[in-house]
Amino acid sequence: MRCHIVIAAVFWSVCVDSRKIRGISLSYKRFYRERKTFLCIDGSKMIPFEQVNDDYCDCEDGSDEPGTAACPGGRFYCTNLGFRPHYIQSSRVNDGICDCCDASDEYNSHTRCQNSCRNLGQRERADVEGQMRTLDEGLRLKQQLIEEGVLLWREKQAQLRDLQQVAEDLQVKLEEHRRRKHEADRLKEQTLKAREAGDSGHRRQNSTVTSIFQILDSNKDGSITVDEVQAKVAFVQDEERALSDDEAVIKGTHGAADSLADEDPNIKAAEMAAEREAADLKKVEEAYETANMEISDLRNKLTIDYGTDWEFLFLNSQCYQLKVYEYTYTLCPFNQVTQKSAAGTEVSLGKWGTWAGTPENQYSQMRYESGEPCWQGPTRNTMVTLTCGTETALRSVREPSKCQYIMDFQTPVACQPVLKQQGVHSEL
Ligand code: MAN
């Protein structure tokens, strides 16, 4: 029994010997090769080796106490075999909290730490492998999208050329229709004038007969007798002028004359032809205007920077949505960002502004600006961060400060081969 206690005591004292060189990385081990003396790593002081890790700080740089919390600002190296090595502040050594996954920082405390490095390492390796697979798949999809982008770009260019041709043809047609309308108007005018001239001759004839009758019918009984004719016959010639005046009065019966004109098939035909030409011209004018609008719209779209290989072109004319609490956010790349409340009110969170990524990769962020002004705040703006993923989707939306929005947008075209190299060279 006694023997067991003695063995346990010796074992414990070995285990908790803080002098044991702990908390240093492999590259620093050579400074701690046990000799009689120890030179502080900054070269400032020489101390007996027993003073290393004796829980008393001798060196200004704290290098004599890598395994204790004695030196302020000292650091303890967690080897963390199987996971990632890292430094912790030496004040955390034996403080009762497990900081190193290999439990090396709590060698003399009441806390019993488990070595979790293996599990952590496995988990992280699985994560990294997952990321690598995503990256591989993302890069494969990106390649496809680049190829599609080139085709799409050519398609848009051809579309522009077609539209320009359509506009040119329409312009020729427009001139022809303008000329035809002008001609139809002129013909209509001419027919009306001819009819007017015909009408006035006809009316003059009618009114002359009526007036002569009235003059001759002196007793106004509606019939003319021989006596009445004889009495007036000499007088008629002198009254020629007066009859012309009557004609002016009789002009009041115009309505009847006009309706007669309306029935004139020539006028009707001329009027219909003019109307038809006006309608045709209007149609061509509208088509010309539409074609020009489409040209300008397409030209504007084609001036946007879609990436070095037009890989972002496919995002044009697409929209992506995400519901976050009571709002539905819609991102239409290269166009606009909106926010729709549950009540149905939609506000603009910004219109396409510019690429705003880092100097190394300007395509990593998009800025949408000049959205709806915020009440007692700034104009709404949105910054979209593009991250690598195998799908193209809006992943998250935040509003870190009032009316300033941040979106995470995942797409294969954001995958960069350089990330893969970084992953391959990770410390794992
Ligand atoms: C709306 C939304 C919010 C915004 C407030 C500011 O409710 O656009 O995102 O913070 O207005 O008043």
Side-chain angles (χ1 to χ4, degrees):
M1 181 67 179
R2 190 174 170 175
C3 177
H4 277 128
I5 292 168
V6 171
I7 292 168
V10 170
F11 185 67
W12 176 246
S13 76
V14 169
C15 281
V16 299
D17 182 6
S18 63
R19 304 267 183 91
K20 187 171 170 261
I21 306 307
R22 306 165 189 276
I24 51 166
S25 70
L26 207 63
S27 47
Y28 278 88
K29 280 241 156 81
R30 62 196 175 97
F31 298 114
Y32 295 88
R33 257 181 228 129
E34 217 162 327
R35 286 189 212 103
K36 280 207 151 101
T37 54
F38 174 76
L39 178 64
C40 301
I41 289 179
D42 64 3
S44 60
K45 207 172 177 184
M46 186 87 87
I47 56 169
F49 202 86
E50 301 92 77
Q51 284 177 221
V52 170
N53 279 342
D54 67 347
D55 211 11
Y56 182 85
C57 193
D58 297 287
C59 300
E60 258 181 58
D61 63 356
S63 59
D64 64 313
E65 296 297 319
T68 76
C71 294
R75 52 188 202 152
F76 181 92
Y77 183 80
C78 309
T79 306
N80 291 348
L81 211 66
F83 189 52
R84 229 180 304 116
H86 74 113
Y87 280 100
I88 58 168
Q89 287 172 359
S90 58
S91 58
R92 294 192 180 175
V93 172
N94 293 325
D95 65 349
I97 299 168
C98 312
D99 296 291
C100 305
C101 67
D102 62 2
S104 58
D105 60 316
E106 296 300 315
Y107 61 87
N108 191 18
S109 83
H110 309 297
T111 312
R112 293 178 61 166
C113 300
Q114 299 287 330
N115 187 329
S116 57
C117 292
R118 222 174 109 87
N119 284 347
L120 284 174
Q122 271 173 354
R123 216 179 302 155
E124 188 159 291
R125 271 188 292 277
D127 278 358
V128 170
E129 276 163 22
Q131 282 170 23
M132 288 298 116
R133 273 198 299 276
T134 302
L135 184 57
D136 275 342
E137 177 62 0
L139 287 171
R140 193 185 65 76
L141 292 169
K142 181 177 178 175
Q143 200 48 45
Q144 276 179 12
L145 289 167
I146 287 176
E147 283 159 29
E148 280 170 31
V150 175
L151 294 179
L152 207 59
W153 178 260
R154 288 195 201 158
E155 209 176 278
K156 298 259 175 215
Q157 294 287 353
Q159 210 176 323
L160 182 61
R161 279 196 302 274
D162 287 354
L163 272 170
Q164 279 166 336
Q165 187 57 56
V166 167
E168 262 175 47
D169 294 350
L170 280 170
Q171 197 170 8
V172 173
K173 237 175 148 182
L174 199 61
E175 268 148 35
E176 170 65 11
H177 276 273
R178 279 190 184 133
R179 196 192 55 70
R180 280 170 61 171
K181 183 181 176 287
H182 180 76
E183 185 61 16
D185 284 348
R186 200 184 60 76
L187 269 173
K188 185 179 111 179
E189 203 62 22
Q190 219 174 32
T191 319
L192 277 172
K193 270 191 188 146
R195 175 64 208 232
E196 250 174 45
D199 272 359
S200 83
H202 182 72
R203 280 198 300 276
R204 188 180 294 120
Q205 213 177 352
N206 269 354
S207 60
T208 307
V209 172
T210 312
S211 304
I212 291 171
F213 183 89
Q214 281 168 355
I215 291 162
L216 293 178
D217 184 19
S218 32
N219 63 359
K220 307 287 178 222
D221 65 352
S223 62
I224 304 165
T225 61
V226 176
D227 290 348
E228 280 172 329
V229 173
Q230 279 174 344
K232 294 284 182 183
V233 82
F235 193 63
V236 170
Q237 298 304 322
D238 301 339
E239 285 295 300
E240 193 67 50
R241 234 353 293 121
L243 284 176
S244 291
D245 291 346
D246 285 351
E247 183 190 349
V249 175
I250 292 162
K251 265 185 181 256
T253 56
H254 238 184
D258 278 352
S259 71
L260 264 177
D262 282 349
E263 281 158 22
D264 184 320
N266 287 339
I267 294 180
K268 227 176 186 147
E271 273 175 353
M272 274 170 71
E275 267 168 32
R276 210 172 35 243
E277 288 304 335
D280 284 356
L281 176 63
K282 196 165 173 249
K283 265 190 225 155
V284 179
E285 273 173 346
E286 279 169 3
Y288 183 65
E289 206 176 304
T290 309
N292 276 322
M293 263 157 52
E294 282 175 17
I295 288 174
S296 118
D297 194 40
L298 195 54
R299 273 212 187 112
N300 284 343
K301 280 185 179 166
L302 291 177
T303 56
I304 293 173
D305 176 0
Y306 293 109
T308 44
D309 300 306
W310 300 295
E311 65 270 32
F312 294 100
L313 185 62
F314 81 101
L315 294 175
N316 205 321
S317 17
Q318 304 280 333
C319 289
Y320 301 88
Q321 283 196 333
L322 186 70
K323 194 167 182 302
V324 182
Y325 303 116
E326 77 264 42
Y327 295 116
T328 301
Y329 294 88
T330 307
L331 165 67
C332 302
F334 306 109
N335 187 2
Q336 60 166 354
V337 181
T338 56
Q339 178 200 54
K340 196 171 186 176
S341 70
T345 326
E346 193 167 59
V347 294
S348 163
L349 303 188
K351 290 175 272 300
W352 164 248
T354 176
W355 287 107
T358 56
E360 302 80 52
N361 179 16
Q362 57 158 331
Y363 302 115
S364 58
Q365 281 195 318
M366 290 170 155
R367 191 167 43 232
Y368 291 80
E369 45 208 21
S370 310
E372 196 112 337
C374 186
W375 189 69
Q376 286 187 334
T379 303
R380 286 175 172 83
N381 286 323
T382 305
M383 193 66 112
V384 179
T385 300
L386 285 88
T387 50
C388 171
T390 51
E391 280 171 19
T392 298
L394 189 53
R395 290 286 181 224
S396 71
V397 183
R398 289 186 298 119
E399 189 183 347
S401 67
K402 200 172 172 187
C403 296
Q404 305 300 297
Y405 305 84
I406 290 182
M407 290 183 162
D408 175 21
F409 182 56
Q410 257 185 22
T411 172
V413 279
C415 297
Q416 298 286 337
V418 68
L419 289 176
K420 194 169 178 191
Q421 282 166 16
Q422 277 169 7
V424 166
H425 293 128
S426 94
E427 283 192 48
L428 290 176

